[in-house]
Structure formats: structure tokens, C-alpha cells
Amino acid sequence: MLSKLKKIEDILLELDPENVFHYHAKGRTNKYIVWAEDSEGSSVEGNDQKINQSIQGTIDYFTKDDGDPMVDKIQEALTAACISFYLGSVQYEEETDLIHYEWIWEVS
């Protein structure tokens, strides 16, 4: 399972090695990425055992800039690495004045 998660971490660190965090980014105020594994995604079982397991999680990007190019860079990097994903939500967070993009990904 950890090797699957490493794919996500490596992709994001290539985009911005200083502003990528696992689970939380305490004290950050602008332009940062938080990723986390959430659950098992699709799986294949046969002969009373798991044959293939995928892991599902989220990538959250926080920015104050409307039209921030990092949004496209994240999607392009996931596509180039053949990582399945979809944009789950885009929200404006009034308490932090940040735009919050959330992608749901799945790796196997």
C-alpha cells in the first residue's frame, strides 16, 4: 500500500517541494497542497483473497489567487502519471479568504 501512496506524494513534490503536506499544513496561509489517503477504492478478489487493491484519497489545494496556474498543473501531473482522479469541489472559505480545490484520486 505504501508504494501506491508514494506515487501521489512524488507527483506533488515535483510540483512544489516546499508546500506539500500529508494530512495537514499547520500555520500555512496561502498556496499549499495537502494530500491524504482516505480509504480503499476499487478492489479485485478471487479464490478467497484480495488480488488487487486500490487506495482512494484527496488532494486539496489552497490559494488566494483566482485563476492560479497550479490548479492546471496538478491535474496535468495526475494525468501524465496515469492517476485516476476527479475534481470533487471548489469552495471559497470566508474564514481564511482561500479558494479550496479538492480532487479525489485513486491509485492501484
Side-chain angles (χ1 to χ4, degrees), residues 1-8:
M1 181 174 109
L2 296 178
S3 64
K4 296 172 185 179
L5 297 177
K6 186 82 171 117
K7 291 180 191 178
I8 299 297

Side-chain angles (χ1 to χ4, degrees), residues 7-64:
K7 291 180 191 178
I8 299 297
E9 181 180 33
D10 289 348
I11 289 165
L12 297 174
L13 286 172
E14 284 183 30
L15 294 173
D16 190 348
E18 301 298 317
N19 295 301
V20 173
F21 304 91
H22 194 209
Y23 296 121
H24 63 87
K26 194 172 189 171
R28 293 299 183 161
T29 60
N30 189 24
K31 295 195 180 203
Y32 61 94
I33 300 169
V34 178
W35 69 277
E37 63 278 19
D38 298 330
S39 64
E40 180 172 277
S42 304
S43 65
V44 177
E45 288 83 15
N47 295 328
D48 297 324
Q49 59 184 312
K50 189 172 295 289
I51 296 170
N52 190 10
Q53 176 188 47
S54 69
I55 305 299
Q56 189 175 74
T58 56
I59 294 170
D60 298 276
Y61 180 62
F62 299 87
T63 181
K64 291 184 179 187

